[in-house]
Amino acid sequence: MKRKALAILIAVMTISLSACGGESGNAGNAKEIEELEEKIEKLEKENRELRKQLSGEEETEEQKGTDEEQNKTSTNRPDGFVAETSGICGENLTWEYGNGIIYIQGKGEMTNYDLYDFPAPWTDIKGKIAKVIVEKGCTSIGTYAFSKCNSLSGVEIANSVTEIGEGAFSNCTNLKSFVFPKNLKKVYSWCISGCTAMERITLPDALEEFEEILSIKGHGDSAATATTSMTYTQMLDSMYENHRITSQQKQEFLQKIENSAESAKKAYINPWVWGFADFEEVTWKGVIYSSSDAQALVDDLMNAGILNWDEQFAIIDEWKNKEIGIVEEYIKDNYTIVD
C-alpha cells in the first residue's frame, strides 16, 4: 500500500513540477521547483528500498561489507587513458593498450599462452608495455602472459585474481617490485623468474601453494640445469671420441643425470637457489624478511605447507626422465656400442 502511495505521490509532484516549469520567469516558482525535485529524489530512493524489501533483495550487512571490500580492491582505468589497440584475452576478458599501459577488464580467467606456439595477443607491442593494470573481475593471469616485457616497471592486480600462471611475469628485467593480490591462492612455476632488477615482493596472506620460482634473479639456477653449460648430448660427445661407447660407459653417463637430479632436490632447501636471498625484502603475513632472513622465510613457507616439496621433486624427476630419454635416443642414433 505504501509502495502504491509513493508512486502516486511522485506522479502528482512530477505533474506539478511540469506546470511550474511553464512560468520560468517567476522566482518563486523556481524555488518551488527545486524543493519538489528534492522531494521526488527522496521519495524515489524510498521507493527503491521498498522494492528491494518486497522482492526479498535487501542486502545483508555481510553483503554490503563484501561490496565495499571489492570496491577498495578494484583497480581503476587511468585518467585520460586512450586505447590505441585492443582485443580479447579470455572468454569474458578484453584488453586495451595505450600510452605504455595495458588494461585488462571483464570477468573470469585469462587465456594461457606460450612464448612460441601460442603467444599473447600483445606480443608485438610488449616492448612498449610499462604498466599492467588488471581490473576487478579477472580471476587469473595466464601462463607467460607478460613474459619478457622488458619495459614493464609497474603492475596492479585486483584482488579478484586467485591464480597466476607459470612464467606470467618472467624475465621482466625492469620490474623492481611485485605485490601479489591479497586473495591469491596459487603461484605457478617461474612466475617472476629472471626478473633481474627485482628488489621487493609482497606475498599474500591467503597463499596456499607456491610452486618453485628458481632463479628469480637469473643466476640461482637449479642444480639440475646448472651442472654444465653444455647440454648432456654435447657433454657426451666431448667425453667419448669417435662416437664409440661401451655399455658400462653409457650407464655411468646416465648415472650423471640421476646424480644431478638428486643434487637438485637437495638444493631446494637453499634460499639462494629459490632466489629469495637476492631480494632486499620479502613481506608475508606482516613480517618483513630481509636477504639475511631468507632461510627463515623458506622454513616458514614450508612449515605452513605452502611449499610442497613432493611437487617440486616431481618436477625434477620429470626433467630427469626427459633428459635420460633424450640421451638414450641420441646414443642409439649416433653411437656404436663396443663391448
Side-chain angles (χ1 to χ4, degrees), residues 51-95:
R51 285 177 184 272
K52 285 185 179 180
Q53 291 175 7
L54 290 170
S55 62
E57 295 178 354
E58 178 68 16
E59 288 183 320
T60 64
E61 289 301 316
E62 182 179 355
Q63 288 172 327
K64 289 178 181 177
T66 300
D67 288 341
E68 289 176 2
E69 180 61 27
Q70 286 178 339
N71 289 333
K72 288 179 183 178
T73 60
S74 172
T75 54
N76 296 304
R77 180 188 292 267
D79 293 337
F81 178 83
V82 178
E84 299 171 18
T85 183
S86 61
I88 297 171
C89 56
E91 186 174 352
N92 295 300
L93 289 179
T94 59
W95 64 276

Short mmCIF file of all heavy atoms in Angstrom, two decimals, residues 51-95:
data_model
loop_
_atom_site.label_atom_id
_atom_site.label_comp_id
_atom_site.label_asym_id
_atom_site.label_seq_id
_atom_site.Cartn_x
_atom_site.Cartn_y
_atom_site.Cartn_z
N ARG A 51 11.00 -1.59 -2.90
CA ARG A 51 11.01 -2.64 -3.93
C ARG A 51 11.92 -3.79 -3.53
O ARG A 51 11.60 -4.96 -3.73
CB ARG A 51 11.48 -2.05 -5.27
CG ARG A 51 10.45 -1.19 -5.97
CD ARG A 51 11.05 -0.61 -7.25
NE ARG A 51 10.14 0.30 -7.90
CZ ARG A 51 9.22 -0.06 -8.78
NH1 ARG A 51 9.10 -1.34 -9.08
NH2 ARG A 51 8.43 0.83 -9.34
N LYS A 52 13.09 -3.46 -2.98
CA LYS A 52 14.03 -4.50 -2.53
C LYS A 52 13.42 -5.35 -1.43
O LYS A 52 13.54 -6.57 -1.42
CB LYS A 52 15.33 -3.86 -2.04
CG LYS A 52 16.23 -3.36 -3.15
CD LYS A 52 17.54 -2.85 -2.58
CE LYS A 52 18.47 -2.38 -3.69
NZ LYS A 52 19.76 -1.89 -3.15
N GLN A 53 12.75 -4.69 -0.47
CA GLN A 53 12.15 -5.41 0.64
C GLN A 53 11.04 -6.34 0.16
O GLN A 53 10.94 -7.49 0.58
CB GLN A 53 11.59 -4.41 1.66
CG GLN A 53 12.67 -3.63 2.41
CD GLN A 53 12.08 -2.58 3.31
OE1 GLN A 53 10.87 -2.51 3.50
NE2 GLN A 53 12.94 -1.76 3.88
N LEU A 54 10.20 -5.84 -0.77
CA LEU A 54 9.08 -6.63 -1.27
C LEU A 54 9.53 -7.80 -2.13
O LEU A 54 8.88 -8.83 -2.19
CB LEU A 54 8.14 -5.73 -2.08
CG LEU A 54 7.35 -4.70 -1.25
CD1 LEU A 54 6.64 -3.72 -2.18
CD2 LEU A 54 6.35 -5.39 -0.34
N SER A 55 10.67 -7.65 -2.80
CA SER A 55 11.17 -8.72 -3.67
C SER A 55 12.20 -9.60 -2.99
O SER A 55 12.75 -10.50 -3.60
CB SER A 55 11.79 -8.11 -4.93
OG SER A 55 12.90 -7.30 -4.59
N GLY A 56 12.48 -9.32 -1.71
CA GLY A 56 13.44 -10.13 -0.96
C GLY A 56 14.86 -9.88 -1.35
O GLY A 56 15.73 -10.72 -1.17
N GLU A 57 15.19 -8.72 -1.90
CA GLU A 57 16.53 -8.41 -2.37
C GLU A 57 17.30 -7.52 -1.43
O GLU A 57 18.33 -6.96 -1.78
CB GLU A 57 16.45 -7.73 -3.74
CG GLU A 57 15.89 -8.64 -4.82
CD GLU A 57 15.79 -7.92 -6.14
OE1 GLU A 57 16.06 -6.70 -6.17
OE2 GLU A 57 15.46 -8.57 -7.14
N GLU A 58 16.81 -7.34 -0.22
CA GLU A 58 17.50 -6.48 0.72
C GLU A 58 18.89 -7.02 1.02
O GLU A 58 19.06 -8.22 1.30
CB GLU A 58 16.70 -6.38 2.02
CG GLU A 58 17.35 -5.53 3.10
CD GLU A 58 17.39 -4.06 2.73
OE1 GLU A 58 16.66 -3.64 1.81
OE2 GLU A 58 18.16 -3.33 3.37
N GLU A 59 19.92 -6.22 0.93
CA GLU A 59 21.29 -6.65 1.16
C GLU A 59 21.52 -6.86 2.66
O GLU A 59 21.05 -6.09 3.50
CB GLU A 59 22.29 -5.60 0.67
CG GLU A 59 22.38 -5.53 -0.83
CD GLU A 59 23.44 -4.54 -1.25
OE1 GLU A 59 23.53 -3.47 -0.62
OE2 GLU A 59 24.17 -4.84 -2.20
N THR A 60 22.26 -7.91 2.97
CA THR A 60 22.67 -8.13 4.35
C THR A 60 23.88 -7.26 4.64
O THR A 60 24.53 -6.77 3.72
CB THR A 60 23.03 -9.61 4.57
OG1 THR A 60 24.17 -9.91 3.77
CG2 THR A 60 21.88 -10.52 4.19
N GLU A 61 24.19 -7.12 5.92
CA GLU A 61 25.37 -6.34 6.29
C GLU A 61 26.63 -6.98 5.74
O GLU A 61 27.57 -6.32 5.34
CB GLU A 61 25.46 -6.22 7.83
CG GLU A 61 24.42 -5.32 8.45
CD GLU A 61 24.50 -3.90 7.90
OE1 GLU A 61 25.63 -3.38 7.78
OE2 GLU A 61 23.45 -3.32 7.58
N GLU A 62 26.62 -8.34 5.71
CA GLU A 62 27.79 -9.06 5.18
C GLU A 62 27.98 -8.76 3.71
O GLU A 62 29.09 -8.56 3.23
CB GLU A 62 27.59 -10.56 5.40
CG GLU A 62 28.79 -11.40 4.92
CD GLU A 62 28.59 -12.88 5.17
OE1 GLU A 62 27.58 -13.24 5.79
OE2 GLU A 62 29.45 -13.65 4.74
N GLN A 63 26.85 -8.74 2.95
CA GLN A 63 26.94 -8.44 1.53
C GLN A 63 27.43 -7.03 1.28
O GLN A 63 28.24 -6.78 0.40
CB GLN A 63 25.57 -8.63 0.87
CG GLN A 63 25.17 -10.10 0.74
CD GLN A 63 23.74 -10.24 0.26
OE1 GLN A 63 22.88 -9.42 0.58
NE2 GLN A 63 23.49 -11.28 -0.51
N LYS A 64 26.93 -6.09 2.11
CA LYS A 64 27.37 -4.71 1.96
C LYS A 64 28.87 -4.59 2.21
O LYS A 64 29.58 -3.90 1.51
CB LYS A 64 26.61 -3.81 2.94
CG LYS A 64 25.15 -3.62 2.57
CD LYS A 64 24.45 -2.76 3.61
CE LYS A 64 22.97 -2.58 3.26
NZ LYS A 64 22.27 -1.80 4.30
N GLY A 65 29.34 -5.33 3.24
CA GLY A 65 30.76 -5.29 3.56
C GLY A 65 31.60 -5.86 2.44
O GLY A 65 32.67 -5.35 2.12
N THR A 66 31.08 -6.95 1.80
CA THR A 66 31.80 -7.56 0.69
C THR A 66 31.91 -6.59 -0.48
O THR A 66 32.95 -6.46 -1.11
CB THR A 66 31.08 -8.84 0.22
OG1 THR A 66 31.03 -9.75 1.32
CG2 THR A 66 31.83 -9.49 -0.93
N ASP A 67 30.80 -5.89 -0.77
CA ASP A 67 30.81 -4.93 -1.87
C ASP A 67 31.81 -3.81 -1.60
O ASP A 67 32.53 -3.38 -2.49
CB ASP A 67 29.42 -4.33 -2.06
CG ASP A 67 28.46 -5.35 -2.67
OD1 ASP A 67 28.96 -6.33 -3.25
OD2 ASP A 67 27.23 -5.16 -2.55
N GLU A 68 31.84 -3.34 -0.35
CA GLU A 68 32.77 -2.27 -0.01
C GLU A 68 34.20 -2.73 -0.19
O GLU A 68 35.05 -2.02 -0.70
CB GLU A 68 32.54 -1.82 1.43
CG GLU A 68 31.23 -1.05 1.63
CD GLU A 68 30.99 -0.70 3.08
OE1 GLU A 68 31.87 -1.03 3.90
OE2 GLU A 68 29.95 -0.12 3.38
N GLU A 69 34.49 -3.98 0.23
CA GLU A 69 35.84 -4.51 0.12
C GLU A 69 36.24 -4.65 -1.34
O GLU A 69 37.36 -4.35 -1.74
CB GLU A 69 35.92 -5.88 0.82
CG GLU A 69 37.30 -6.53 0.77
CD GLU A 69 38.35 -5.69 1.46
OE1 GLU A 69 38.02 -4.91 2.37
OE2 GLU A 69 39.53 -5.81 1.08
N GLN A 70 35.30 -5.13 -2.18
CA GLN A 70 35.60 -5.30 -3.59
C GLN A 70 35.90 -3.95 -4.24
O GLN A 70 36.78 -3.84 -5.08
CB GLN A 70 34.41 -5.96 -4.30
CG GLN A 70 34.29 -7.44 -3.99
CD GLN A 70 33.08 -8.06 -4.66
OE1 GLN A 70 32.13 -7.38 -5.02
NE2 GLN A 70 33.11 -9.37 -4.81
N ASN A 71 35.16 -2.93 -3.83
CA ASN A 71 35.41 -1.61 -4.38
C ASN A 71 36.78 -1.10 -4.01
O ASN A 71 37.47 -0.46 -4.80
CB ASN A 71 34.34 -0.62 -3.90
CG ASN A 71 32.98 -0.89 -4.54
OD1 ASN A 71 32.92 -1.42 -5.64
ND2 ASN A 71 31.92 -0.54 -3.85
N LYS A 72 37.21 -1.43 -2.79
CA LYS A 72 38.53 -0.98 -2.35
C LYS A 72 39.63 -1.67 -3.14
O LYS A 72 40.67 -1.09 -3.40
CB LYS A 72 38.72 -1.29 -0.86
CG LYS A 72 37.89 -0.40 0.06
CD LYS A 72 38.12 -0.80 1.50
CE LYS A 72 37.26 0.01 2.46
NZ LYS A 72 37.44 -0.41 3.87
N THR A 73 39.42 -2.96 -3.48
CA THR A 73 40.49 -3.72 -4.14
C THR A 73 40.49 -3.56 -5.65
O THR A 73 41.39 -4.01 -6.31
CB THR A 73 40.34 -5.22 -3.82
OG1 THR A 73 39.07 -5.67 -4.30
CG2 THR A 73 40.43 -5.48 -2.34
N SER A 74 39.47 -2.91 -6.19
CA SER A 74 39.42 -2.72 -7.63
C SER A 74 40.46 -1.70 -8.08
O SER A 74 40.70 -0.70 -7.43
CB SER A 74 38.03 -2.25 -8.05
OG SER A 74 38.01 -1.90 -9.41
N THR A 75 41.08 -2.01 -9.21
CA THR A 75 41.94 -1.01 -9.81
C THR A 75 41.08 -0.09 -10.65
O THR A 75 39.91 -0.34 -10.86
CB THR A 75 43.01 -1.68 -10.68
OG1 THR A 75 42.36 -2.54 -11.63
CG2 THR A 75 43.96 -2.49 -9.85
N ASN A 76 41.62 0.98 -11.16
CA ASN A 76 40.84 1.95 -11.92
C ASN A 76 41.51 2.26 -13.24
O ASN A 76 42.73 2.31 -13.33
CB ASN A 76 40.68 3.25 -11.11
CG ASN A 76 39.88 3.04 -9.84
OD1 ASN A 76 38.76 2.55 -9.89
ND2 ASN A 76 40.46 3.38 -8.71
N ARG A 77 40.68 2.48 -14.24
CA ARG A 77 41.19 2.91 -15.54
C ARG A 77 41.89 4.26 -15.36
O ARG A 77 41.32 5.18 -14.76
CB ARG A 77 40.05 3.04 -16.52
CG ARG A 77 40.47 3.47 -17.92
CD ARG A 77 39.25 3.76 -18.75
NE ARG A 77 38.53 2.53 -19.01
CZ ARG A 77 38.71 1.77 -20.10
NH1 ARG A 77 39.60 2.14 -21.00
NH2 ARG A 77 38.02 0.67 -20.28
N PRO A 78 43.11 4.40 -15.84
CA PRO A 78 43.86 5.66 -15.65
C PRO A 78 43.14 6.85 -16.29
O PRO A 78 42.50 6.71 -17.33
CB PRO A 78 45.20 5.38 -16.35
CG PRO A 78 45.27 3.90 -16.46
CD PRO A 78 43.88 3.41 -16.57
N ASP A 79 43.23 8.00 -15.66
CA ASP A 79 42.65 9.22 -16.22
C ASP A 79 43.28 9.51 -17.59
O ASP A 79 44.50 9.45 -17.75
CB ASP A 79 42.88 10.41 -15.29
CG ASP A 79 42.11 10.27 -13.99
OD1 ASP A 79 41.11 9.53 -13.99
OD2 ASP A 79 42.52 10.89 -12.99
N GLY A 80 42.43 9.82 -18.53
CA GLY A 80 42.93 10.18 -19.85
C GLY A 80 43.40 8.99 -20.68
O GLY A 80 44.01 9.18 -21.73
N PHE A 81 43.13 7.76 -20.21
CA PHE A 81 43.56 6.58 -20.96
C PHE A 81 42.83 6.50 -22.29
O PHE A 81 41.60 6.56 -22.35
CB PHE A 81 43.29 5.31 -20.15
CG PHE A 81 43.66 4.04 -20.87
CD1 PHE A 81 44.96 3.57 -20.85
CD2 PHE A 81 42.69 3.32 -21.55
CE1 PHE A 81 45.29 2.40 -21.51
CE2 PHE A 81 43.02 2.15 -22.21
CZ PHE A 81 44.32 1.69 -22.19
N VAL A 82 43.57 6.39 -23.37
CA VAL A 82 43.00 6.25 -24.71
C VAL A 82 43.59 5.01 -25.36
O VAL A 82 44.82 4.90 -25.50
CB VAL A 82 43.30 7.49 -25.58
CG1 VAL A 82 42.74 7.29 -26.98
CG2 VAL A 82 42.72 8.74 -24.95
N ALA A 83 42.74 4.07 -25.71
CA ALA A 83 43.21 2.81 -26.29
C ALA A 83 43.70 3.00 -27.71
O ALA A 83 43.04 3.63 -28.54
CB ALA A 83 42.10 1.78 -26.25
N GLU A 84 44.88 2.47 -27.99
CA GLU A 84 45.44 2.50 -29.34
C GLU A 84 45.14 1.21 -30.07
O GLU A 84 45.01 1.18 -31.29
CB GLU A 84 46.95 2.73 -29.27
CG GLU A 84 47.35 4.04 -28.60
CD GLU A 84 48.84 4.12 -28.35
OE1 GLU A 84 49.60 3.34 -28.99
OE2 GLU A 84 49.26 4.94 -27.52
N THR A 85 45.07 0.11 -29.32
CA THR A 85 44.74 -1.19 -29.88
C THR A 85 44.09 -2.02 -28.79
O THR A 85 44.26 -1.74 -27.60
CB THR A 85 45.99 -1.89 -30.44
OG1 THR A 85 45.61 -3.13 -31.05
CG2 THR A 85 47.00 -2.18 -29.34
N SER A 86 43.36 -3.05 -29.16
CA SER A 86 42.63 -3.84 -28.18
C SER A 86 42.35 -5.23 -28.72
O SER A 86 42.62 -5.53 -29.89
CB SER A 86 41.31 -3.14 -27.81
OG SER A 86 40.49 -3.01 -28.95
N GLY A 87 41.80 -6.10 -27.86
CA GLY A 87 41.49 -7.45 -28.28
C GLY A 87 40.87 -8.26 -27.16
O GLY A 87 40.46 -7.72 -26.13
N ILE A 88 40.83 -9.57 -27.34
CA ILE A 88 40.24 -10.49 -26.38
C ILE A 88 41.35 -11.32 -25.76
O ILE A 88 42.26 -11.77 -26.44
CB ILE A 88 39.22 -11.41 -27.07
CG1 ILE A 88 38.06 -10.58 -27.64
CG2 ILE A 88 38.69 -12.47 -26.11
CD1 ILE A 88 37.11 -11.37 -28.52
N CYS A 89 41.28 -11.53 -24.43
CA CYS A 89 42.31 -12.34 -23.75
C CYS A 89 41.69 -13.36 -22.80
O CYS A 89 42.34 -13.82 -21.87
CB CYS A 89 43.29 -11.43 -23.00
SG CYS A 89 42.54 -10.31 -21.82
N GLY A 90 40.45 -13.69 -23.04
CA GLY A 90 39.75 -14.68 -22.23
C GLY A 90 38.33 -14.76 -22.73
O GLY A 90 37.87 -13.91 -23.51
N GLU A 91 37.60 -15.77 -22.28
CA GLU A 91 36.23 -15.93 -22.75
C GLU A 91 35.39 -14.68 -22.48
O GLU A 91 34.56 -14.29 -23.29
CB GLU A 91 35.59 -17.14 -22.07
CG GLU A 91 34.20 -17.48 -22.59
CD GLU A 91 33.64 -18.75 -22.01
OE1 GLU A 91 34.38 -19.48 -21.31
OE2 GLU A 91 32.45 -19.04 -22.26
N ASN A 92 35.63 -14.07 -21.32
CA ASN A 92 34.90 -12.86 -20.97
C ASN A 92 35.84 -11.73 -20.56
O ASN A 92 35.48 -10.87 -19.75
CB ASN A 92 33.92 -13.15 -19.82
CG ASN A 92 32.83 -14.13 -20.23
OD1 ASN A 92 32.07 -13.87 -21.14
ND2 ASN A 92 32.79 -15.28 -19.55
N LEU A 93 37.06 -11.74 -21.10
CA LEU A 93 38.04 -10.71 -20.78
C LEU A 93 38.49 -10.00 -22.05
O LEU A 93 38.64 -10.63 -23.10
CB LEU A 93 39.28 -11.31 -20.09
CG LEU A 93 39.14 -11.82 -18.66
CD1 LEU A 93 40.48 -12.38 -18.19
CD2 LEU A 93 38.67 -10.73 -17.72
N THR A 94 38.72 -8.70 -21.94
CA THR A 94 39.26 -7.93 -23.06
C THR A 94 40.48 -7.16 -22.59
O THR A 94 40.67 -6.94 -21.39
CB THR A 94 38.23 -6.94 -23.62
OG1 THR A 94 37.83 -6.02 -22.58
CG2 THR A 94 37.01 -7.67 -24.15
N TRP A 95 41.32 -6.74 -23.52
CA TRP A 95 42.49 -5.94 -23.19
C TRP A 95 42.54 -4.72 -24.10
O TRP A 95 42.05 -4.73 -25.23
CB TRP A 95 43.78 -6.76 -23.35
CG TRP A 95 44.07 -7.20 -24.76
CD1 TRP A 95 43.59 -8.30 -25.41
CD2 TRP A 95 44.91 -6.52 -25.71
NE1 TRP A 95 44.07 -8.36 -26.69
CE2 TRP A 95 44.90 -7.28 -26.91
CE3 TRP A 95 45.68 -5.36 -25.67
CZ2 TRP A 95 45.61 -6.92 -28.04
CZ3 TRP A 95 46.39 -4.99 -26.81
CH2 TRP A 95 46.36 -5.77 -27.96
#
